[in-house]
Amino acid sequence: MRGYDKIKVYVLKKFELKTRYMLIAIRDEKAGNIEHIEMVRNLMALYYRTTIAFCENAIVSCKQFGDIKTKAKTCEYLRQVSNYMAEHLYLMTNCKISVIEDYVDLSDDILNNEWVQSFEKNMNINLSDIYLKFLTSKSYQSYITGWQYGVPSEYAILDINGDGYEELIITSRTGWSDDYFSVFSYDRTLDEIYVFFTKYYFKGLRYSPQYHALVFSTINSNIYIGFCDYWIIEDKQFNVDFTLFYERNYDTQEISYSLTDSGNSRIITEVEYDSYIKDLVNLEWKQIP
């Protein structure tokens, strides 16, 4: 296990145990003082909110000032912690407090409410089944009016941003020089599928597990010039995280490589360029039913 993962697991487990034991300790003392339980709940809610605010601010700083090679992983970790805290904050602020003499199980009275049932239902949603029904019913047709040519023929289901929830990608895959694709996601609150990105690409659509990005080019690259953009999901939108570029000198035939991030371009070596390209994987396309 990487050190990054060790820290994440340690933080989450330690926090979960700390919260649980604090509530149990209060209930085991006498379990009849609702004011004490309310006090603990308010303190823990403040802790949740402070941690969430810290994570969100850290994500903004990391995106702006973080190293290109590590910021994707760092932001992913911070996002996971923030989401974890947000889930438990909602759970904490909406749980029912009951007076009981003997503690049996934390989930019996404190955590057994309608919100928890709704939360567990959302957690157990099978997105693959939802997306398959969406494809089978041809419901995607109303979302592809921006496609100038081609019709959806293949799909892939992939957790693009690494948040634990999969997205649906459909493409024309005509075999021509370029194709269109659209990316869909599922809104658990509204219980509906929505599209938040449509674009065309040349010569393949690939995925970077390291940067949680869809990687493609919007020009027909050749041996003399080419680039590929790394597109990531941010706040239900697709944005370019950075761009790799190469250009061959007509006279010397030497190739120069560069990377553009947030409008700033810098020269990179061939080895660096290859390290980005070797990370890419092809999507597992399936025929739309």
Side-chain angles (χ1 to χ4, degrees), residues 23-31 101-104:
L23 289 174
I24 291 174
I26 290 293
R27 296 181 65 80
D28 282 347
E29 284 183 11
K30 194 56 184 174
E101 293 298 326
D102 298 316
Y103 172 78
V104 179

Side-chain angles (χ1 to χ4, degrees), residues 127-128 131-132 134-135 140 147 152-160 165-173 180-185 201 205-207 214 281-289:
L127 288 179
S128 295
Y131 289 145
L132 190 57
F134 178 74
L135 293 171
Y140 57 83
W147 290 28
S153 59
E154 297 184 3
Y155 75 95
I157 296 176
L158 174 69
D159 181 6
I160 298 174
Y165 303 115
E166 298 165 319
E167 284 75 39
L168 169 67
I169 307 170
I170 62 174
T171 184
S172 52
R173 297 268 287 177
Y180 273 84
F181 76 98
S182 294
V183 180
F184 299 83
S185 189
Y201 63 94
L205 180 65
R206 292 177 289 179
Y207 176 68
L214 286 180
V281 296
N282 294 320
L283 274 63
E284 296 181 3
W285 297 106
K286 297 180 180 179
Q287 291 292 324
I288 293 179

Side-chain angles (χ1 to χ4, degrees), residues 111-287:
L111 303 183
N112 187 18
N113 54 67
E114 293 181 359
W115 182 88
V116 176
Q117 296 174 6
S118 176
F119 174 76
E120 291 177 346
K121 179 182 177 181
N122 286 335
M123 291 297 290
N124 294 325
I125 286 177
N126 189 323
L127 288 179
S128 295
D129 289 345
I130 292 176
Y131 289 145
L132 190 57
K133 291 179 182 178
F134 178 74
L135 293 171
T136 303
S137 65
K138 308 296 182 184
S139 299
Y140 57 83
Q141 291 181 345
S142 60
Y143 296 95
I144 60 171
T145 55
W147 290 28
Q148 296 184 12
Y149 47 82
V151 294
S153 59
E154 297 184 3
Y155 75 95
I157 296 176
L158 174 69
D159 181 6
I160 298 174
N161 59 349
D163 64 351
Y165 303 115
E166 298 165 319
E167 284 75 39
L168 169 67
I169 307 170
I170 62 174
T171 184
S172 52
R173 297 268 287 177
T174 60
W176 303 339
S177 59
D178 60 328
D179 289 288
Y180 273 84
F181 76 98
S182 294
V183 180
F184 299 83
S185 189
Y186 176 72
D187 190 314
R188 289 160 184 74
T189 303
L190 300 177
D191 188 25
E192 65 181 20
I193 294 176
Y194 64 93
V195 62
F196 58 92
F197 190 68
T198 293
K199 197 74 173 178
Y200 63 92
Y201 63 94
F202 282 83
K203 297 181 179 178
L205 180 65
R206 292 177 289 179
Y207 176 68
S208 169
Q210 181 176 0
Y211 297 102
H212 296 296
L214 286 180
V215 182
F216 59 94
S217 176
T218 53
I219 67 168
N220 195 1
S221 302
N222 53 59
I223 63 172
Y224 284 100
I225 191 171
F227 74 86
C228 57
D229 293 321
Y230 281 60
W231 291 77
I232 60 174
I233 298 177
E234 292 182 314
D235 300 325
K236 292 187 177 182
Q237 294 183 342
F238 256 94
N239 298 307
V240 176
D241 191 22
F242 61 92
T243 301
L244 294 178
F245 182 84
Y246 70 85
E247 184 175 14
R248 184 189 297 270
N249 186 291
Y250 282 93
D251 297 325
T252 65
Q253 292 297 299
E254 292 182 355
I255 304 176
S256 60
Y257 303 90
S258 62
L259 184 150
T260 300
D261 179 19
S262 302
N264 300 315
S265 184
R266 62 181 177 87
I267 302 298
I268 61 175
T269 66
E270 182 179 0
V271 173
E272 288 179 291
Y273 181 88
D274 289 341
S275 68
Y276 287 101
I277 301 302
K278 289 178 180 179
D279 169 60
L280 304 181
V281 296
N282 294 320
L283 274 63
E284 296 181 3
W285 297 106
K286 297 180 180 179
Q287 291 292 324

